[in-house]
Amino acid sequence: MNRVRLTTPLTDAVVEQLRIGQQVFINGVIYTGRDAAHKRLINLIEQNKKLPFDPKGQVIYYVGPSPARPGRVIGAAGPTTSGRMDQYAPKLYALGIKATIGKGRRDSAVIEAIKQYKGIYLAVVGGAAALIARTIKEAEIIAFPDLGPEAIYRLIVEDLPAIVVNDLTGGDLYDQSINNFSIT
Amino acid sequence: MQKACKRETSSIGRDIIQQLIMNANIASTEQVPICQDTGFTVVFVELGQDVHIVGGDFCEAINEGVRKGYAEGYLRNSIVSHPILRKNTGDNTPAVIHTKIVPGDNLRLIVAPKGGGSENMSAVKMLKPSDGIEGIKKFVVEVVRAAGPNPCPPVIVGVGIGGTFEKAAQLSKEALLRNLGEKSKYQDIARLEEDLCKEINKLGIGPQGLGGRTTALAVHVEIFATHIASLPVAVNINCHAARHKEAIL
């Protein structure tokens, strides 16, 4: 299957075209965020405060990178388990986040939010952290530096390979693929 | 991995295994961790009973090693000091240290950094003795099925059977220290390992949960004596980055 090249920020029109199983290359700015950063983002939302970045059309990558060696952009940067961000994700999709990137299943509330707000959930290969790091061209901490690896980074990526797991029709690639291969 | 790639019938599964092999090569040549989750540092100590450690603080010495190793190796600090307050300790300490006193005059240290994603998918269950081997198989397969794509399959499954609640959990972690595919020394347990691996690979989860035959690369089972009332079973899942290294002082 041909990979589709996506450039951030993403629009409804782009997201509407994507279906589960579609392989994509992501290009442009994306933001990192995992457990502790999400907790803080949601606190900011609940207090009606401004987020550290404008969420409209943006992409959040669930990752806590390892430190960069001198002269390098970043260390290893593979995905973390997305399910731990499930209780936060619907609020962020509601604010205009178009895509989240991670690994593993999403719960029904996230799948519903993806349908409702025209979003997408993408998986990258868990554990392919050195390979993925090569696609990251710039990295800068923009919020919560005290969280260490859980700080929010603004990344610029070139051809980050990912696959669509949940789309706005409600499809789930994991269910479909595992059913195809299970022997019962 | 190469063998698994040849056997895998899913084309996306093969593609993912190839990416993981490529990742390992890049990690090695560019000195980047194979996975950004460089783990909780779990240290198994086998202290020879004729060794006498003089002065200092043994556990603190291990923690100092962790501190230095993680800083000098550019490894990620993934530990928070309090499970509810959750402030990063900033140096990946403290380590989890398991110490055993053994005959001899050596000090053996096995370091096994353990990633959080696969650890989270692990489970312990106190079965009834009447559940027997079928109950054990059912539980182990169910834990792997429920984990699905989350622990970064292909995984290595460590199983501890017997002992007490905590002993079973520790056995399941020790099972992961065995070299990949090395069989149990007990014939019946080696057969159980094979059966479990076959059953798990029928689940269809495959590499990264995107479908395929390679869900587990191996199942390792460790056993211990247990109480007449009990059949504890623990399942500790390890992602494909099964890192461990030992040194004898």
Side-chain angles (χ1 to χ4, degrees):
Chain A
M1 190 192 283
N2 285 336
R3 278 190 187 263
V4 175
R5 221 174 225 108
L6 302 178
T7 304
T8 64
L10 301 177
T11 60
D12 282 359
V14 168
V15 169
E16 278 166 4
Q17 298 296 315
L18 298 170
R19 289 293 177 274
I20 63 168
Q22 175 69 54
Q23 303 201 42
V24 301
F25 281 126
I26 302 159
N27 286 271
V29 170
I30 62 174
Y31 294 93
T32 73
R34 45 173 294 153
D35 311 61
H38 271 75
K39 197 173 177 192
R40 289 198 186 172
L41 289 177
I42 298 303
N43 279 341
L44 290 174
I45 293 169
E46 282 167 356
Q47 295 164 32
N48 285 318
K49 287 188 179 152
K50 228 178 121 186
L51 296 185
F53 60 93
D54 177 3
K56 205 170 159 15
Q58 297 303 334
V59 177
I60 296 180
Y61 179 21
Y62 301 140
V63 58
S66 69
R69 283 186 181 273
R72 301 266 176 82
V73 173
I74 203 159
T80 195
T81 312
S82 307
R84 292 196 318 273
M85 269 56 75
D86 280 354
Q87 59 170 316
Y88 309 117
K91 284 189 176 135
L92 291 163
Y93 278 110
L95 285 179
I97 291 289
K98 278 288 144 205
T100 56
I101 310 171
K103 58 149 170 132
R105 287 182 192 279
R106 306 316 299 264
D107 70 8
S108 56
V110 177
I111 291 170
E112 201 44 50
I114 285 170
K115 277 158 69 177
Q116 190 181 346
Y117 302 111
K118 293 191 178 173
I120 201 101
Y121 167 56
L122 303 148
V124 287
V125 175
L131 188 70
I132 292 164
R134 278 188 167 180
T135 70
I136 300 172
K137 302 302 169 185
E138 287 179 37
E140 179 200 358
I141 294 178
I142 60 147
F144 318 140
D146 60 301
L147 293 180
E150 297 199 76
I152 295 186
Y153 287 71
R154 180 180 184 271
L155 305 179
I156 296 181
V157 294
E158 261 177 43
D159 284 348
L160 172 69
I163 186 162
V164 177
V165 171
N166 296 109
D167 62 26
L168 48 67
T169 67
D172 188 301
L173 182 63
Y174 291 130
D175 282 345
Q176 195 191 73
S177 319
I178 294 170
N179 284 341
N180 282 345
F181 281 90
S182 79
I183 305 168
T184 46
Chain B
M1 285 282 206
Q2 298 283 11
K3 270 191 226 157
C5 195
K6 275 192 198 135
R7 280 197 306 260
E8 181 54 66
T9 54
S10 144
S11 68
I12 188 157
R14 281 194 302 272
D15 184 50
I16 287 165
I17 297 171
Q18 285 300 344
Q19 286 190 49
L20 294 177
I21 294 168
M22 210 193 302
N23 180 66
N25 291 335
I26 295 170
S28 148
T29 55
E30 296 186 6
Q31 296 253 290
V32 178
I34 176 171
C35 174
Q36 76 290 339
D37 186 351
T38 49
F40 209 137
T41 320
V42 181
V43 182
F44 290 89
V45 179
E46 284 176 16
L47 180 64
Q49 63 197 22
D50 300 333
V51 178
H52 186 194
I53 297 165
V54 183
D57 177 332
F58 183 67
C59 289
E60 184 41 38
I62 290 178
N63 284 328
E64 183 54 26
V66 170
R67 217 167 267 136
K68 270 178 134 170
Y70 275 67
E72 289 168 14
Y74 293 89
L75 307 183
R76 194 181 77 181
N77 298 323
S78 310
I79 306 306
V80 290
S81 58
H82 184 297
I84 298 162
L85 302 177
R86 308 195 74 83
K87 187 172 165 28
N88 199 302
T89 61
D91 58 11
N92 217 58
T93 66
V96 171
I97 304 168
H98 301 290
T99 309
K100 221 191 260 178
I101 309 284
V102 297
D105 59 0
N106 286 330
L107 172 57
R108 184 176 179 219
L109 295 165
I110 305 168
V111 178
K114 185 65 171 69
S118 55
E119 193 74 356
N120 285 347
M121 296 296 120
S122 306
V124 184
K125 191 169 182 184
M126 306 303 284
L127 298 181
K128 286 182 262 188
S130 63
D131 290 330
I133 193 161
E134 286 313 313
I136 293 168
K137 283 186 192 169
K138 205 174 141 198
F139 173 60
V140 175
V141 172
E142 178 51 29
V143 170
V144 179
R145 193 201 59 74
N150 291 13
C152 288
V155 295
I156 298 153
V157 183
V159 180
I161 307 172
T164 47
F165 179 78
E166 86 288 1
K167 179 68 179 178
Q170 191 168 341
L171 286 171
S172 70
K173 180 138 280 147
E174 284 172 10
L176 294 172
L177 299 176
R178 223 193 281 160
N179 285 329
L180 189 62
E182 195 186 303
K183 288 190 173 97
S184 166
K185 60 183 176 192
Y186 307 106
Q187 232 176 22
D188 58 333
I189 300 301
R191 198 170 324 119
L192 174 63
E193 291 175 341
E194 239 173 76
D195 289 351
L196 282 170
C197 200
K198 269 189 203 143
E199 284 306 310
I200 286 168
N201 286 331
K202 281 185 193 166
L203 290 171
I205 297 168
Q208 296 296 309
L210 294 174
R213 289 275 82 83
T214 320
T215 303
L217 294 169
V219 178
H220 296 164
V221 179
E222 293 293 332
I223 57 168
F224 195 76
T226 194
H227 192 280
I228 48 174
S230 306
L231 179 52
V233 182
V235 183
N236 195 194
I237 300 184
N238 205 122
C239 61
H240 52 81
R243 300 156 288 197
H244 48 92
K245 194 93 184 163
E246 70 165 74
I248 294 175
L249 305 178

